[in-house]
Amino acid sequence: MKTNVFLGTLAVAGMTAGMAFADGHGGSTLDVVKERGSLKCGISTGLVGFASQDANDEWEGFDVAVCRAVAAAVLGDPTAVEFRPVTNKERFEVLNSGDIDMLSRNTTWTFSRDVDLKLEFAGVNYYDGQGFMVPKSLGVSSAKDLDGAPVCIQSGTTTELNLADFFRTNNISYQPVSITTASEAQQAYLAGRCAVYTTDASGLAATRASFENPEDHVVLPEIISKEPLGPLVRHGDNEWGDVVRWTLNALIAAEELGITSANVGELSAAATDNPEINRLLGTEGNLGEQLGVAADFGAKIIMADGNYGEIFEKYIGENTPIGLSRGLNAQWTDGGLLYAPPFR
Amino acid sequence: MSMVEAPPPGFKLSMLINDSRYRGYTFQTIAFIALMCLAAVMVMNAAANLERLGKDISFDFLWQGASYDIYPQLIPFESTDTHFRAAMVGVLNTLLVAFFGCIAATVIGVIAGVLRLSNNWLIAKVMAIYVEIFRNVPVLLWILLIMQIVAISFNNPLDYRGEDPTATVVWGMFAFTTLGIYMPAPVWNPGSGVVVAVFIASIIAMFFYSRYRKKVLFDTGRILPGFPVMLGLFFVPALLAFFIMGRPIGLDYPAMGAFTFSGGALIGGPFIALWLALSLYTGAFIAENVRAGILAISKGQTEAASALGLRPNRTMSLVVLPQALRVIIPPVISQYLNLTKNSSLAAFIGYQEITGTLMGITLNQTGRSFEAVLLGMLIYLLISLAISFMGNLYNASVKLKER
């Protein structure tokens, strides 16, 4: 009997030790993704316009399009993505533990996340700022009139910190109502658990668009923070970080260069007289090889869902229920902040 | 003597396996070393992985500013206070819900447990249904369900606004809103200390009177009036003091402000949901403990009490329950521990207790997951040990005293 117990202990010990060592991340993420044949991408648990499921349960949206573009660049197939919806609270743990390859989930780029949390932001795909939404019937016209109001916030976000700072510096009080997900926040706001809902202005627009009577609610004019949102990867895997960064840059550069989903087939078939277009689409130079992906990765990215401008218009632009204008997210040539470094 | 004794055997290494006197020690030693090696491998592996990620173990984050706000807070907390203070606010919120949860669960459990043994078929079956329904569904579902009920059945605070509000404040005192229940809060004006002191004194007097009453009963067999005197002691002195001091304790009624009520006291919706769900859930288990305890007392005790002319409710309170307590208390203590630990599910409905503050927002904002979770486990351990300690003290006072 004792011998059995002993042997059992030894067996368990051996197995556990083996598993513990096997846990170390082997190889670069790029190789892992290529070998697996699919990209594991962390997205929002549901935010209309950014990440939501269509009638066929397929994920679509502005953030989802970034995942699909990366899958197109690396694997040549924009559908080779395993989507993993993650909450605000768990997103960084899931990424750092290696469960997902990248996170594209309206996440704000901040110093401490970049430096202390050991994450690597691959750029900005939406310049946002935190705003407030209230029922129109309250007759509030400024966020400074919100003294004493119960405010719904998503736990574990930068919004939580901005909110505390805003109310403290303006010397007014509020009652925080903590919520885990965007859809829960919506429910709580409609049930009256809070008179005010605060999150990034784009998220407010998306939430408002999903209401039965959007016109009963107003977004207040104050934007109380800078929220540069973008995709991110683990710190320390620079090759993979480059892939995600230059996929995003390709989307932005394509719009600037006038490459659209309509003309990308024609432009990538043979070299044009614009060398930058040629380098981006792989008909000239070896940018793809340098990045460790196919030569025509740029063309594959644009074929997936179009360039940045097309993705914006399709999911969150002015002709969608969300109705966001380009604003800061216009190309630098149009007075916006989007500025892709040269493909050279 | 030396003739009888066997010659001292020379110790051979093979005896470690073959000799039954040593074999046990040998295997225990090997198992112990293997276990230690396993632990060492895991710790070193964790340390190596943290090292590779460039993360060190440090609790310095506790003294940095939290920069978030917490509701509810039993001690004052500003967003400029430290993460440590935020954790303390969370601990107090855990203790708050655990304290009221244990009281309510005990009351519900004792009533349900006794009534389940009732001779009345309907009452016994209703209690059986209650116990089975609550015991066999995960407590998280009950928490979420009650939270939903609060959200659906209570009024939107904005309905109380305007000239002609669609919702009314019950008796001008209670407002049932989705944020929680607003009720009048006491206002302590000068002189109220005297009233409170008198009230505490009358509670002490009640305690001594009940001891005196017992002594008279045991010494002379006379039964002094119980309930009327207790009732009088409870209300009369405090009320007299209240009016003599010129009514120093006022009530602050909730009044509708711009967004929600101001003034009065608010019992938050998440607190109500958590408290009610935990109490009903744990109450079902305690009911079973109580039933088991009562059934453990032999029927002869009840029959003997009846033979002496005791009425059924006296038989229960004087003969059966005091003996049953010895069986009931140990499992009930472990139910209290369960309730306290289950309160960590509050994170799902946004009640900010220790899981929500230290292991929720603080963890998220600082990225110190390892440290925060370790500290959280330590805090739960301390709370649980404190509860068992107090429970064991009480258990020692009611257990069979051997003279």
Side-chain angles (χ1 to χ4, degrees):
Chain A
M1 185 59 206
K2 270 182 184 149
T3 323
N4 286 344
V5 171
F6 166 63
L7 288 177
T9 315
L10 204 65
V12 170
M15 270 164 56
T16 318
M19 269 159 26
F21 284 122
D23 184 40
H25 309 294
S28 74
T29 311
L30 182 57
D31 295 337
V32 171
V33 171
K34 279 182 180 166
E35 197 174 313
R36 194 195 299 130
S38 72
L39 171 77
K40 288 189 185 172
C41 193
I43 50 168
S44 164
T45 49
L47 182 62
V48 181
F50 289 85
S52 60
Q53 279 169 303
D54 67 6
N56 304 323
D57 280 354
E58 286 290 324
W59 285 97
E60 59 168 22
F62 190 67
D63 282 337
V64 169
V66 176
C67 301
R68 295 211 186 276
V70 173
V74 178
L75 304 162
D77 178 8
T79 59
V81 190
E82 282 176 46
F83 289 106
R84 167 86 194 271
V86 288
T87 65
N88 282 322
K89 284 171 84 168
E90 68 188 5
R91 53 187 162 177
F92 303 128
E93 290 294 318
V94 174
L95 179 62
N96 262 333
S97 68
D99 277 1
I100 54 176
D101 305 313
M102 62 175 286
L103 187 66
S104 175
R105 193 206 172 286
N106 43 22
T107 301
T108 307
W109 186 353
T110 67
F111 180 94
S112 63
R113 283 175 179 174
D114 199 336
V115 177
D116 193 34
L117 292 185
K118 306 289 174 201
L119 302 168
E120 176 138 338
F121 283 83
V124 176
N125 71 339
Y126 192 91
Y127 289 94
D128 210 342
Q130 183 176 348
F132 297 94
M133 177 166 63
V134 293
K136 200 173 250 175
S137 62
L138 279 177
V140 175
S141 60
S142 160
K144 289 178 181 152
D145 301 338
L146 294 176
D147 193 10
V151 182
C152 276
I153 26 167
Q154 288 183 54
S155 250
T157 59
T158 48
T159 32
E160 200 166 30
L161 310 180
N162 298 331
L163 181 71
D165 288 348
F166 176 77
F167 277 83
R168 197 182 65 244
T169 50
N170 284 297
N171 234 338
I172 49 180
S173 67
Y174 71 106
Q175 184 186 329
V177 178
S178 292
I179 308 286
T180 347
T181 65
S183 51
E184 223 175 287
Q186 237 161 285
Q187 244 182 32
Y189 171 76
L190 287 178
R193 277 183 66 203
C194 47
V196 186
Y197 177 37
T198 181
T199 187
D200 297 339
S202 62
L204 287 182
T207 304
R208 186 168 168 266
S210 66
F211 286 169
E212 217 172 302
N213 301 310
E215 62 279 5
D216 288 352
H217 303 270
V218 285
V219 175
L220 298 178
E222 280 92 346
I223 296 292
I224 64 167
S225 69
K226 288 191 289 188
E227 308 282 342
L229 311 179
L232 56 154
V233 296
R234 275 183 296 280
H235 192 87
D237 190 349
N238 296 5
E239 287 74 22
W240 178 243
D242 287 344
V243 170
V244 178
R245 176 174 304 111
W246 287 96
T247 301
L248 179 59
N249 283 336
L251 287 171
I252 295 169
E255 187 189 13
E256 188 187 342
L257 296 169
I259 310 169
T260 65
S261 53
N263 66 12
V264 64
E266 183 191 331
L267 291 174
S268 61
T272 64
D273 48 8
N274 184 337
E276 182 143 23
I277 291 180
N278 295 348
R279 283 192 295 270
L280 176 57
L281 298 180
T283 50
E284 189 183 317
N286 66 343
L287 295 186
E289 192 188 320
Q290 292 175 25
L291 200 56
V293 297
D296 63 343
F297 80 100
K300 286 277 181 1
I301 290 172
I302 311 305
M303 281 171 193
D305 225 349
N307 63 33
Y308 181 92
E310 288 176 88
I311 294 170
F312 194 102
E313 290 311 324
K314 182 172 174 186
Y315 296 115
I316 55 177
E318 276 169 338
N319 298 323
T320 65
I322 294 142
L324 291 169
S325 61
R326 287 293 288 268
L328 289 176
N329 297 292
Q331 291 286 337
W332 63 286
T333 46
D334 300 334
L337 291 174
L338 292 186
Y339 186 103
F343 276 77
R344 181 169 287 283
Chain B
M1 291 297 273
S2 60
M3 295 289 282
V4 191
E5 241 171 50
F11 181 78
K12 278 179 274 168
L13 214 54
S14 63
M15 286 166 68
L16 283 178
I17 299 287
N18 297 331
D19 192 318
S20 63
R21 283 175 298 173
Y22 301 117
R23 196 190 294 141
Y25 292 111
T26 312
F27 285 127
Q28 282 178 39
T29 311
I30 294 173
F32 178 73
I33 291 171
L35 208 66
M36 286 297 112
C37 288
L38 172 66
V41 162
M42 290 176 93
V43 169
M44 278 158 64
N45 196 36
N49 275 333
L50 284 172
E51 174 97 35
R52 197 177 43 76
L53 283 171
K55 286 189 167 182
D56 53 338
I57 306 254
S58 158
F59 288 91
D60 291 345
F61 71 95
L62 284 174
W63 313 112
Q64 291 164 4
S67 54
Y68 60 89
D69 284 294
I70 305 175
Y71 182 88
Q73 39 184 263
L74 294 178
I75 51 174
F77 181 83
E78 297 278 331
S79 57
T80 43
D81 286 328
T82 61
H83 282 295
F84 180 77
R85 197 173 171 85
M88 286 305 110
V89 174
V91 169
L92 288 176
N93 284 343
T94 297
L95 292 177
L96 182 76
V97 78
F99 178 74
F100 286 106
C102 287
I103 292 178
T106 311
V107 172
I108 294 170
V110 169
I111 293 174
V114 170
L115 288 187
R116 201 176 169 185
L117 294 169
S118 162
N119 292 326
N120 182 320
W121 184 88
L122 186 66
I123 289 177
K125 285 293 170 260
V126 166
M127 288 305 148
I129 290 170
Y130 154 70
V131 167
E132 294 309 331
I133 286 184
F134 273 86
R135 225 166 42 138
N136 295 307
V137 174
V139 65
L140 177 60
L141 301 186
W142 286 116
I143 295 174
L144 294 176
L145 179 74
I146 297 180
M147 193 68 203
Q148 276 302 311
I149 291 174
V150 168
I152 292 166
S153 59
F154 287 7
N155 300 311
N156 185 329
L158 300 178
D159 291 348
Y160 290 92
R161 294 167 74 246
E163 292 294 302
D164 187 23
T166 48
T168 50
V169 181
V170 183
W171 303 321
M173 289 178 168
F174 300 98
F176 296 87
T177 73
T178 46
L179 256 178
I181 300 173
Y182 286 91
M183 56 174 64
V187 182
W188 310 100
N189 295 322
S192 55
V194 178
V195 181
V196 174
V198 168
F199 183 69
I200 292 173
S202 56
I203 300 268
I204 295 171
M206 281 163 71
F207 175 71
F208 277 107
Y209 178 73
S210 92
R211 278 181 58 169
Y212 170 71
R213 184 165 166 262
K214 207 177 221 173
K215 187 171 177 296
V216 170
L217 177 68
F218 286 1
D219 289 353
T220 68
R222 266 191 317 128
I223 297 178
L224 294 177
F227 187 68
V229 176
M230 289 294 191
L231 205 64
L233 271 175
F234 189 82
F235 284 110
V236 176
L239 280 178
L240 277 178
F242 179 71
F243 285 109
I244 289 168
M245 293 306 295
R247 295 197 274 182
I249 304 175
L251 281 180
D252 179 20
Y253 292 96
M256 191 62 204
F259 303 101
T260 180
F261 287 88
S262 57
L266 167 67
I267 305 176
F271 176 83
I272 297 171
L274 185 68
W275 169 73
L276 212 58
L278 288 178
S279 308
L280 288 169
Y281 178 79
T282 314
F285 286 91
I286 293 181
E288 286 299 89
N289 294 335
V290 168
R291 187 170 71 108
I294 293 172
L295 289 178
I297 306 305
S298 85
K299 206 166 166 52
Q301 297 274 340
T302 318
E303 287 166 354
S306 308
L308 288 173
L310 284 182
R311 275 165 279 155
N313 55 352
R314 292 213 153 188
T315 308
M316 184 54 86
S317 65
L318 293 177
V319 178
V320 178
L321 271 184
Q323 300 185 73
L325 272 183
R326 291 171 199 141
V327 183
I328 295 170
I329 285 171
V332 167
I333 295 171
S334 88
Q335 291 305 332
Y336 287 169
L337 298 183
N338 282 342
L339 188 146
T340 310
K341 288 178 287 180
N342 284 341
S343 72
S344 60
L345 294 170
F348 285 90
I349 52 168
Y351 176 70
Q352 297 293 11
E353 37 71 83
I354 184 67
T355 316
T357 60
L358 176 66
M359 287 180 276
I361 305 175
T362 293
L363 185 155
N364 214 284
Q365 303 293 8
T366 62
R368 296 278 173 195
S369 46
F370 193 68
E371 294 90 335
V373 171
L374 214 61
L375 206 60
M377 287 165 75
L378 186 73
I379 290 171
Y380 275 113
L381 183 70
L382 288 179
I383 295 176
S384 292
L385 286 179
I387 293 174
S388 337
F389 178 73
M390 287 185 287
N392 287 339
L393 280 188
Y394 182 64
N395 192 30
S397 75
V398 298
K399 76 176 179 196
L400 202 58
K401 291 186 184 60
E402 296 177 7
R403 295 190 174 90

